Structure formats: C-alpha cells, structure tokens
Amino acid sequence: MSMFETVLVANRGEIAVRVIRTLRSLGVRSVAVYSDADADARHVREADTAVRLGPAPAAESYLSVERLLEAAAASGARAVHPGYGFLAENAAFAQACADAGLAFIGPPAAAIDLMGDKIRAKETVRAAGVPVVPGSSGSGLTDAQLTEAAREIGTPVLLKPSAGGGGKGMRLVRDAALLGEEIAAARREARASFGDDTLLVERWVDRPRHIEIQVLADAHGNVVHLGERECSLQRRHQKIIEEAPSVLLDEETRAAMGAAAVEAARSCGYVGAGTVEFIVPGSDPSSYYFMEMNTRLQVEHPVTELITGLDLVEWQLRVAAGEPLPFAQDDITLTGHAVEARICAEDPSRGFLPSGGTVLLLREPSGDGVRTDSGLSEGTEVGSLYDPMLSKVIAYGPDRATALRKLRAALADTVILGVPTNTGFLRRLLAHPAVVAGDLDTGLVEREAEGLVAADVPADVYEAAARARAGTGTVSPDAWTDPFSVPNGWRLGGEAAWTVHHLRVPGHDPVVVRTRRTGGGEVEADLGALGEPPAGRHRYHRSGTWLGRDGDTWDVRDHDPVEAALTGAAHSGADALTAPMPGTVTVVKVAPGDHVAAGQSLLVVEAMKMEHVISAPHAGTVTELDVTPGSTVAMDQVLAVVVPDESAEETS
C-alpha cells in the first residue's frame, strides 16, 4: 500500500505540531486547520498549508464536521488525523470521513462508538474475559437510578460521563447526601464537554494506581501491546505526570495486563493505536480492573515512543494506509525509562484555576534525553476557549532515577513568561520523596499539593524586580534598559537618595522595596519588612513585569497605594465577587435586589472546560450584577456585589 500524499490535521496546539513533525519526516504534505483565535498559531506556521475553519468558538471551528470536511476537500487531503481531544473519539466524524472517501487515521467508527460508551465497553470486555470495575449497569440511567446504584455499591463512588474522558465531568462522592448535587454538576460538565450527559457510577478503589497499556492493531488481524504507562500522578482526575514502564509491575503482571489489553482491543475490532486503561490496587497489582479504552493517540504517547523506539504517529499512518504490522509481540522490547510532565495554563497559587495571557518570553528545554512537544511560540495568546495544556516536557534515561533527574532539570530550564503555569509545581512534585521512591497512587497529588505550592513570593523576587526597575541590568539577559532614563540619585555632599518601589504580585499583599545606586555603580536594595537581601543572587529571566527562574514565574506589578485605596472605597460596606479566572459566565442564578444565603451559588464561570461556582460569602442582598450568561470576563473582574445583612440594616 502507498502512503498518503496529503494529510489534514484536524486539531491544534502541541498535538498538531507533533503530528506535522512526523508527516514532514515521511515526506507527507501537511494541512493545518485553524480558528480565528489561532490564525497565527505555531501549528499553522509549521504546516505546509493551512485552512481557516471559522470563528474562535470550537463549536464553529474545530468541532464542525462540515467545515473540516470542506477543508479536506479544498486542500486535496486524502486522510485526516484527529489528534486527541475535539473530534478524535467522535464516531460520527470518523464515519463522515469514510463516507467522504477520506481515510480516518484512527479506528473504525464502530469501535469508537462501542468503546466511547463506557457502559457498553465494560459489558463487551467483560464478555471477552477482561476484569472490570464493579458499578452500575445499563445506559441512560436517571438521577434516581444513579443514586440508587451508588447506594447499593456504597460510598465512596465515582461518577463518570459515559462519553468522553480526560477527567472531564468526573466526580468522587464520599458523602451520599451530596449525590444529587454532584450528579447535576457531572451532567452539566459532561454535556458541555461531550454533548452527552449520560453518566455511570463505579466503585472507588482507595489509593489506586492508574496504569494503561498501549496497543497497536492493523487491519489484518495483528494486535500487539507496547507495554504500560504509569499515570497515577493526577489532579482532579487529570494526568499531570506519566512514565514508562511502571515500577509497580513485574514481568508476569505486565504480560497478563498486556494480554488483557489485546483482548479488549480484539473485542471491538480495533485498528490503529489505542490505550486500554486499568485501575490497579497498589497493594495487589494482580487485581487489576478495566476502566475504559481511549480510541485515539494519548497525550502521554511520547514515553512509550522513547522506551520502544517506535514513532506511534508513523504507525498510525502506516496502519491507516493498509500496511500490516511487521513485528510480533516477541519483537517488542522496553529499554530504559521515560517520564513526561504536562505544562498547563493554570495558577497553582490560586487553587490551580485556569490562567491566560500572552507568551512574552519562551525558552523550552532540549538536549540529550530531553524532548519538548509544544504548540507555543512567543506572542501566543492563551485564552479560555480551549484546553489548558500548552506543552509537554519528556526526559529519557537508562533508569528511572536518571530520567527523573533530567526532567527536573529540564523543567527548571523551562521559561514561559506572561502566562501562569504549573511548571514549578511539577518540578517540586518530581522531587517529592514518594514520587522518587515510586510509591504512587491517584490521590497523592491532592494530598501533597498544598506543600508543593509556594505560599509566599520569595523575597529575592521583589529584590530582583526592584533592581530591574532601578536599571541595574544584572537581572535580565533578555531585556535592555536605557541608562539615560535611570536617575542616579546623586546629591552634592551627601549619599545617594533612596528610590521607593511599591510592588505587588496578584493574590499577595503589596510590599515596599527601596533601592539606591552606590558609589561603585551597583544597586543597593533594602527589603524593609521582608528582611535582609538574600545571600547570592539568582539568575532571572524578565519580560515586562514578569520574572522567572527554576520553572516558577511571577508578575511583579507596580502598586499605587492611592488608587488601591480609592478602588477599595468604591465597594465600602459590600463584598465584591470577582472572576477567579478568565473565562465565560455560563449560569446566572440571581438578579439585583435578590436576598441570598451564605454559601448560595450565584454564578458559574467556565474556562478551559472547567466550571467554577461563585458563591455568596455571607447572607445579604445582591446590589450589583455586572454580567449575563455568555459574558466573557477577565481575571479579577467584578461580577457581583453582595451587601451583608448587617450592613443593610445599618444603612436602612
């Protein structure tokens, strides 16, 4: 069979860039697609050609089957690679491609449809002899039926959308009294993410490990597995660190789980690259349970590529072109160890809420044993419409300790200024004793997160920001300061005058730092209440008000005490509720004049497929409401004002 001449990549961001890289290596012409928000995105620039899909909302661009097919026809593409996310696991899209005479670089629509329904998938693999997690049976369960099933299983239980994956819409419920509320929230998220709010309920295995098996199948009946990936380091059911192989499995268990994954793939007539996910009790690895099958390439596929030497995107293309697999199971060997970290637009200091902004300065690591898959470039606008994952940093070594050490160093070398990310958090997580020891479970990150988030801004950050403002030139190798614009503070017959800098990092109290130039031309800093300047000096990257080092970044802004006092006075005697993240208001439950109870849900803000409920901090009256459903809001924008009851009584 001959390879495709032209392939349309029906996705965006880092996965589109990743697929384009393999297409280029194979001499295949690549076609990128883009929304108006991505007109100047990296994947558009790196493709051989690009086709506009439509406006920024995904429903009018990346999720539009009609527009994607039109783009394929206009560009002469004969095959479509869906990446992951968006329509990658949409059976209707796969079938529409086939009906249009396009090769869908993924499994048949029937396999996607079967495995995309978690309820039918469990029943199918169970019949093939694969162990499954105990849970509800049947599709289309009502809220009452879900509640009853949960009570029969016994809490804790996990609510899961039947369609889709990636942790979206999943809810862990430990208190049966909260089932109604959690079911409603899970349905809402599932409907927003997948267009389908069907739920199932499963037994929750305490302190479990999440281990998945990569499978590869051709259209000639050959199916192999490529070993496992350990994906237990998760936050809110979303993987953030993945590695291969897992330290938990011995050769016997690895072979048994691999064989079960192959049977699961065979049971649905699978073709292409796919992943069978298992939940595994850490205390008994031999007791593994099938959770679901992802009928697409996984975000974490690079770790498998590094230990097997196989390019999974290449084999997706070859299988879709009709080639048989030239290797059998005995030909697959696992060599060395690889670990991947997902860099996301989120702010750990604000409870990991989605973030946004413009990438002002970008430095991505590379070198021996280090790989970066990224969709970023300087000037990239990170908004709230799409998934928060920006890039992945992957490290490979002959053993796990080496791979971990390389990845920590690579994350320290990663610089993304202008957008808060989780890079520094990931670096600290990889140094946690339990992670280093391989003693993992899916709850570890949630238990340890608070200790891995820097609660305070280090004093040397403020010192560096003040020195930069004083024009020292030693802070940033990436910025230049006009020396004629810097006052030297010289005074006849006296010491140089101090310059006072009022500084503030969002989410933290303002601070005051004084600087003055010494006789030797150096800048002296007085940190006041912050203490003495730290010994030594870190090397910082700087762009505008942003500073970064060792994977952490800070937006150190100038603070105007007078303006801050006036702004605070504008809401004197009231509580202003602000947007915790840039996003879109999806639900407004109150109106001006309404009386609300403490903790009552008032609004819902959604960003990057995450919902955040804005609740009343106290009982009172809504006196201002500045948004409606569909309103786009910026971080810290005032959404509503609730006057406390006691204040209302005092002013009446």
Side-chain angles (χ1 to χ4, degrees), residues 269-500:
Y270 201 82
V271 176
T275 298
V276 181
E277 301 198 351
F278 294 92
I279 196 79
V280 183
S283 59
D284 183 12
S286 63
S287 299
Y288 51 86
Y289 301 106
F290 170 89
M291 288 196 302
E292 61 184 321
M293 183 173 188
N294 288 294
T295 54
R296 54 169 168 80
L297 194 68
Q298 289 281 86
V299 173
E300 56 271 22
H301 74 275
V303 295
T304 295
E305 292 184 323
L306 289 172
I307 67 168
T308 61
L310 298 173
D311 182 328
L312 292 185
V313 174
E314 177 181 347
W315 281 106
Q316 283 187 297
L317 291 161
R318 293 190 179 281
V319 165
E323 293 186 23
L325 296 177
F327 40 77
Q329 190 62 59
D330 290 344
D331 299 319
I332 306 298
T333 58
L334 310 182
T335 305
H337 203 96
V339 191
E340 172 183 288
R342 301 188 188 190
I343 296 180
C344 297
E346 60 184 18
D347 190 344
S349 69
R350 297 172 69 104
F352 295 93
L353 289 174
S355 63
T358 301
V359 178
L360 304 174
L361 181 68
L362 180 67
R363 299 288 185 271
E364 295 181 316
S366 61
D368 180 37
V370 176
R371 164 178 164 180
T372 298
D373 285 9
S374 170
L376 292 176
S377 56
E378 289 186 5
T380 295
E381 293 283 345
V382 178
S384 60
L385 291 170
Y386 310 125
D387 192 270
M389 193 176 72
L390 304 176
S391 62
K392 305 174 306 196
V393 180
I394 312 102
Y396 172 81
D399 51 55
R400 186 172 185 267
T402 302
L404 286 173
R405 185 170 59 251
K406 284 187 175 184
L407 185 53
R408 289 193 296 267
L411 291 173
D413 289 339
T414 299
V415 180
I416 305 173
L417 299 187
V419 180
T421 72
N422 61 342
T423 309
F425 173 84
L426 295 174
R427 186 177 63 85
R428 287 184 287 275
L429 173 61
L430 288 166
H432 189 282
V435 175
V436 173
D439 184 15
L440 314 177
D441 66 81
T442 58
L444 187 151
V445 175
E446 300 288 0
R447 293 193 305 271
E448 303 295 333
E450 184 176 353
L452 299 171
V453 174
D456 298 316
V457 179
D460 61 274
V461 172
Y462 292 115
E463 181 199 22
R467 287 179 179 276
R469 283 160 171 78
T472 174
T474 62
V475 174
S476 173
D478 306 295
W480 177 80
T481 302
D482 180 358
F484 294 102
S485 69
V486 180
N488 61 17
W490 181 84
R491 294 292 184 274
L492 182 64
E495 294 184 348
W498 288 98
T499 298
V500 178

Side-chain angles (χ1 to χ4, degrees), residues 563-589:
E563 180 182 357
L566 292 174
T567 301
H571 293 292
S572 178
D575 261 10
L577 305 180
T578 59
M581 57 190 181
T584 302
V585 176
T586 57
V587 178
V588 176
K589 300 182 178 181

Side-chain angles (χ1 to χ4, degrees), residues 29-34 39 43-45 47-52 71 75:
R29 179 171 173 265
S30 59
V31 180
V33 293
Y34 63 92
H43 75 280
V44 174
R45 296 197 306 272
D48 294 306
T49 189
V51 179
R52 176 185 178 272
S75 62

Side-chain angles (χ1 to χ4, degrees), residues 498-544:
W498 288 98
T499 298
V500 178
H501 305 274
H502 294 270
L503 305 174
R504 181 178 66 87
V505 172
H508 298 270
D509 293 334
V511 302
V512 175
V513 180
R514 301 192 306 164
T515 61
R516 66 179 177 183
R517 194 172 295 279
T518 66
E522 291 295 316
V523 172
E524 179 184 2
D526 173 17
L527 299 181
L530 295 175
E532 292 296 319
R537 191 171 300 164
H538 292 283
R539 179 181 183 273
Y540 282 88
H541 294 272
R542 177 167 68 91
S543 182

